[in-house]
Short mmCIF file of all heavy atoms in Angstrom, two decimals:
data_model
loop_
_atom_site.label_atom_id
_atom_site.label_comp_id
_atom_site.label_asym_id
_atom_site.label_seq_id
_atom_site.Cartn_x
_atom_site.Cartn_y
_atom_site.Cartn_z
N GLN D 1 160.35 100.84 139.24
CA GLN D 1 159.88 101.18 137.86
C GLN D 1 160.67 100.41 136.88
O GLN D 1 160.04 100.00 135.84
CB GLN D 1 160.06 102.60 137.62
CG GLN D 1 159.16 103.56 138.42
CD GLN D 1 157.65 103.24 138.18
OE1 GLN D 1 156.82 103.31 139.09
NE2 GLN D 1 157.37 102.76 137.00
N THR D 2 161.94 100.08 137.09
CA THR D 2 162.76 99.32 136.15
C THR D 2 162.26 97.88 136.06
O THR D 2 162.08 97.32 135.03
CB THR D 2 164.21 99.35 136.58
OG1 THR D 2 164.72 100.72 136.57
CG2 THR D 2 165.09 98.53 135.62
N VAL D 3 162.08 97.26 137.26
CA VAL D 3 161.58 95.86 137.26
C VAL D 3 160.16 95.79 136.69
O VAL D 3 159.82 94.92 135.91
CB VAL D 3 161.60 95.32 138.65
CG1 VAL D 3 160.94 93.93 138.77
CG2 VAL D 3 163.00 95.17 139.20
N SER D 4 159.27 96.78 137.01
CA SER D 4 157.89 96.77 136.50
C SER D 4 157.94 96.92 134.98
O SER D 4 157.14 96.26 134.29
CB SER D 4 157.14 97.95 137.12
OG SER D 4 155.84 98.05 136.62
N ALA D 5 158.77 97.77 134.38
CA ALA D 5 158.84 97.94 132.93
C ALA D 5 159.48 96.70 132.31
O ALA D 5 159.06 96.24 131.31
CB ALA D 5 159.68 99.19 132.61
N LEU D 6 160.53 96.13 132.90
CA LEU D 6 161.30 94.98 132.26
C LEU D 6 160.38 93.76 132.18
O LEU D 6 160.45 93.04 131.28
CB LEU D 6 162.53 94.70 133.10
CG LEU D 6 163.37 93.57 132.59
CD1 LEU D 6 163.92 93.77 131.19
CD2 LEU D 6 164.63 93.33 133.47
N THR D 7 159.59 93.56 133.29
CA THR D 7 158.71 92.43 133.29
C THR D 7 157.40 92.72 132.52
O THR D 7 156.52 91.75 132.37
CB THR D 7 158.34 91.97 134.72
OG1 THR D 7 157.71 93.15 135.42
CG2 THR D 7 159.61 91.62 135.47
N GLY D 8 157.16 93.95 132.06
CA GLY D 8 156.01 94.34 131.32
C GLY D 8 154.76 94.41 132.18
O GLY D 8 153.62 94.39 131.68
N THR D 9 154.99 94.60 133.47
CA THR D 9 153.84 94.60 134.40
C THR D 9 153.11 95.97 134.32
O THR D 9 151.84 95.97 134.06
CB THR D 9 154.35 94.38 135.86
OG1 THR D 9 155.02 93.16 135.90
CG2 THR D 9 153.04 94.23 136.76
N GLY D 10 153.82 97.08 134.51
CA GLY D 10 153.20 98.36 134.30
C GLY D 10 152.74 98.99 135.60
O GLY D 10 152.10 100.08 135.51
N PHE D 11 153.10 98.44 136.75
CA PHE D 11 152.77 99.09 138.08
C PHE D 11 153.63 100.35 138.15
O PHE D 11 154.67 100.44 137.46
CB PHE D 11 152.99 98.28 139.30
CG PHE D 11 151.97 97.15 139.49
CD1 PHE D 11 152.38 95.85 139.69
CD2 PHE D 11 150.68 97.53 139.69
CE1 PHE D 11 151.43 94.87 139.83
CE2 PHE D 11 149.65 96.52 139.93
CZ PHE D 11 150.11 95.28 139.95
N SER D 12 153.28 101.33 138.99
CA SER D 12 154.07 102.51 139.12
C SER D 12 153.95 103.05 140.54
O SER D 12 152.94 102.90 141.20
CB SER D 12 153.68 103.60 138.14
OG SER D 12 152.33 104.00 138.39
N THR D 13 155.07 103.63 141.01
CA THR D 13 155.09 104.33 142.32
C THR D 13 155.18 105.76 142.15
O THR D 13 155.14 106.58 143.05
CB THR D 13 156.20 103.78 143.13
OG1 THR D 13 157.42 104.02 142.41
CG2 THR D 13 156.04 102.34 143.53
N ILE D 14 155.37 106.22 140.92
CA ILE D 14 155.53 107.66 140.62
C ILE D 14 154.61 108.08 139.39
O ILE D 14 154.09 107.14 138.74
CB ILE D 14 156.95 108.05 140.21
CG1 ILE D 14 157.47 107.24 139.06
CG2 ILE D 14 157.89 107.88 141.42
CD1 ILE D 14 158.89 107.46 138.64
N ASP D 15 154.48 109.42 139.19
CA ASP D 15 153.62 109.81 138.05
C ASP D 15 154.42 109.71 136.82
O ASP D 15 155.37 110.49 136.49
CB ASP D 15 153.20 111.24 138.36
CG ASP D 15 152.25 111.79 137.24
OD1 ASP D 15 151.79 110.95 136.48
OD2 ASP D 15 152.05 113.00 137.24
N ILE D 16 154.01 108.78 135.93
CA ILE D 16 154.76 108.53 134.69
C ILE D 16 154.58 109.69 133.76
O ILE D 16 155.57 110.11 133.08
CB ILE D 16 154.25 107.28 133.97
CG1 ILE D 16 154.42 106.03 134.92
CG2 ILE D 16 155.02 107.03 132.72
CD1 ILE D 16 155.84 105.68 135.33
N ALA D 17 153.50 110.37 133.75
CA ALA D 17 153.24 111.49 132.83
C ALA D 17 154.23 112.65 133.10
O ALA D 17 154.55 113.35 132.17
CB ALA D 17 151.79 111.98 132.95
N SER D 18 154.64 112.68 134.37
CA SER D 18 155.52 113.91 134.67
C SER D 18 156.98 113.65 134.44
O SER D 18 157.87 114.53 134.58
CB SER D 18 155.32 114.28 136.18
OG SER D 18 155.74 113.19 137.00
N LEU D 19 157.42 112.50 133.98
CA LEU D 19 158.77 112.06 133.78
C LEU D 19 159.30 112.77 132.47
O LEU D 19 158.54 113.17 131.63
CB LEU D 19 158.91 110.57 133.57
CG LEU D 19 158.61 109.67 134.74
CD1 LEU D 19 158.73 108.20 134.43
CD2 LEU D 19 159.45 110.10 135.99
N SER D 20 160.63 112.92 132.40
CA SER D 20 161.22 113.56 131.28
C SER D 20 161.12 112.63 130.10
O SER D 20 160.87 111.43 130.23
CB SER D 20 162.69 113.82 131.54
OG SER D 20 163.49 112.56 131.86
N ASP D 21 161.41 113.09 128.90
CA ASP D 21 161.32 112.24 127.76
C ASP D 21 162.35 111.14 127.77
O ASP D 21 162.04 110.03 127.27
CB ASP D 21 161.63 113.13 126.46
CG ASP D 21 160.44 114.08 126.19
OD1 ASP D 21 159.31 113.81 126.68
OD2 ASP D 21 160.69 115.06 125.49
N ALA D 22 163.54 111.45 128.36
CA ALA D 22 164.58 110.40 128.52
C ALA D 22 164.02 109.27 129.39
O ALA D 22 164.39 108.04 129.03
CB ALA D 22 165.87 110.95 129.05
N SER D 23 163.45 109.57 130.45
CA SER D 23 162.92 108.55 131.37
C SER D 23 161.84 107.75 130.71
O SER D 23 161.84 106.45 130.79
CB SER D 23 162.41 109.21 132.66
OG SER D 23 163.39 109.82 133.38
N LYS D 24 160.96 108.38 129.96
CA LYS D 24 159.87 107.61 129.33
C LYS D 24 160.47 106.77 128.23
O LYS D 24 160.01 105.59 127.98
CB LYS D 24 158.93 108.61 128.70
CG LYS D 24 158.06 109.44 129.74
CD LYS D 24 157.15 110.40 129.13
CE LYS D 24 156.42 111.22 130.12
NZ LYS D 24 155.50 112.28 129.40
N GLY D 25 161.48 107.27 127.45
CA GLY D 25 162.00 106.54 126.44
C GLY D 25 162.75 105.25 126.89
O GLY D 25 162.67 104.09 126.37
N PHE D 26 163.41 105.37 128.07
CA PHE D 26 164.15 104.30 128.70
C PHE D 26 163.19 103.24 129.15
O PHE D 26 163.43 102.01 128.82
CB PHE D 26 164.96 104.76 129.92
CG PHE D 26 165.64 103.72 130.69
CD1 PHE D 26 166.82 103.09 130.16
CD2 PHE D 26 165.01 103.20 131.81
CE1 PHE D 26 167.48 102.07 130.88
CE2 PHE D 26 165.66 102.15 132.58
CZ PHE D 26 166.79 101.59 132.05
N LEU D 27 162.12 103.57 129.80
CA LEU D 27 161.17 102.61 130.22
C LEU D 27 160.47 101.92 129.07
O LEU D 27 160.21 100.71 129.14
CB LEU D 27 160.06 103.29 131.09
CG LEU D 27 160.44 103.85 132.46
CD1 LEU D 27 159.33 104.45 133.19
CD2 LEU D 27 161.10 102.68 133.35
N SER D 28 160.19 102.64 128.02
CA SER D 28 159.61 102.05 126.80
C SER D 28 160.53 101.05 126.17
O SER D 28 160.07 99.99 125.67
CB SER D 28 159.22 103.17 125.86
OG SER D 28 158.24 104.06 126.29
N ALA D 29 161.77 101.31 126.18
CA ALA D 29 162.81 100.48 125.60
C ALA D 29 162.90 99.18 126.33
O ALA D 29 162.87 98.10 125.67
CB ALA D 29 164.16 101.11 125.50
N ILE D 30 163.08 99.16 127.60
CA ILE D 30 163.28 97.85 128.36
C ILE D 30 161.91 97.18 128.48
O ILE D 30 161.96 95.92 128.64
CB ILE D 30 163.86 98.15 129.74
CG1 ILE D 30 162.88 99.02 130.60
CG2 ILE D 30 165.19 98.85 129.66
CD1 ILE D 30 163.36 99.15 132.09
N MET D 31 160.81 97.81 128.30
CA MET D 31 159.51 97.12 128.40
C MET D 31 159.44 96.20 127.14
O MET D 31 158.64 95.25 127.14
CB MET D 31 158.35 98.17 128.36
CG MET D 31 157.00 97.54 128.56
SD MET D 31 155.67 98.77 128.64
CE MET D 31 156.20 99.59 130.22
N CYS D 32 160.15 96.56 126.08
CA CYS D 32 160.05 95.65 124.84
C CYS D 32 160.78 94.36 125.07
O CYS D 32 160.60 93.35 124.26
CB CYS D 32 160.66 96.40 123.65
SG CYS D 32 159.76 97.88 123.07
N ILE D 33 161.64 94.28 126.06
CA ILE D 33 162.44 93.06 126.29
C ILE D 33 161.62 91.94 126.89
O ILE D 33 161.54 90.87 126.38
CB ILE D 33 163.65 93.39 127.16
CG1 ILE D 33 164.59 94.38 126.44
CG2 ILE D 33 164.45 92.04 127.40
CD1 ILE D 33 165.78 94.84 127.22
N GLY D 34 161.01 92.26 127.99
CA GLY D 34 160.12 91.24 128.74
C GLY D 34 161.01 90.30 129.57
O GLY D 34 162.20 90.51 129.77
N GLY D 35 160.34 89.25 129.98
CA GLY D 35 160.94 88.30 130.87
C GLY D 35 161.42 87.02 130.15
O GLY D 35 161.67 87.02 128.93
N SER D 36 161.33 85.90 130.86
CA SER D 36 161.76 84.62 130.34
C SER D 36 160.71 83.96 129.41
O SER D 36 159.50 84.21 129.54
CB SER D 36 162.14 83.65 131.46
OG SER D 36 163.09 84.14 132.30
N ILE D 37 161.15 83.10 128.47
CA ILE D 37 160.21 82.34 127.75
C ILE D 37 159.52 81.26 128.67
O ILE D 37 160.25 80.73 129.60
CB ILE D 37 160.96 81.59 126.58
CG1 ILE D 37 161.38 82.57 125.49
CG2 ILE D 37 160.11 80.40 126.10
CD1 ILE D 37 162.09 81.85 124.37
N GLY D 38 158.29 81.14 128.55
CA GLY D 38 157.55 80.33 129.48
C GLY D 38 157.03 81.05 130.68
O GLY D 38 156.51 80.33 131.63
N SER D 39 157.14 82.32 130.75
CA SER D 39 156.62 83.08 131.86
C SER D 39 155.33 83.85 131.39
O SER D 39 154.83 83.62 130.28
CB SER D 39 157.66 84.15 132.28
OG SER D 39 157.87 85.14 131.31
N THR D 40 154.81 84.77 132.19
CA THR D 40 153.63 85.47 131.90
C THR D 40 153.86 86.86 131.27
O THR D 40 152.89 87.49 130.90
CB THR D 40 152.72 85.69 133.12
OG1 THR D 40 153.54 86.50 134.10
CG2 THR D 40 152.40 84.34 133.83
N THR D 41 155.13 87.18 130.98
CA THR D 41 155.47 88.47 130.47
C THR D 41 155.30 88.55 129.00
O THR D 41 155.22 87.57 128.26
CB THR D 41 156.96 88.78 130.88
OG1 THR D 41 157.82 87.90 130.20
CG2 THR D 41 157.19 88.78 132.30
N GLY D 42 155.32 89.75 128.45
CA GLY D 42 155.28 90.01 126.98
C GLY D 42 156.68 90.29 126.54
O GLY D 42 157.74 89.91 127.11
#
């Protein structure tokens, strides 16, 4: 989930809706970072 969020991919192996607010907030925060310049990430 960390790699999926950091790269902005969005795959999941768990039910995201059932996560705590802290977990959802953390994933949302690192999703804003993205990958390298010149890659396919956002």
Side-chain angles (χ1 to χ4, degrees):
Q1 293 301 148
T2 299
V3 173
S4 178
L6 180 61
T7 59
T9 307
F11 284 127
S12 62
T13 55
I14 56 180
D15 182 14
I16 302 297
S18 64
L19 296 179
S20 64
D21 291 340
S23 297
K24 293 177 182 177
F26 174 79
L27 292 179
S28 299
I30 62 174
M31 190 176 292
C32 294
I33 299 175
S36 303
I37 286 181
S39 68
T40 62
T41 62

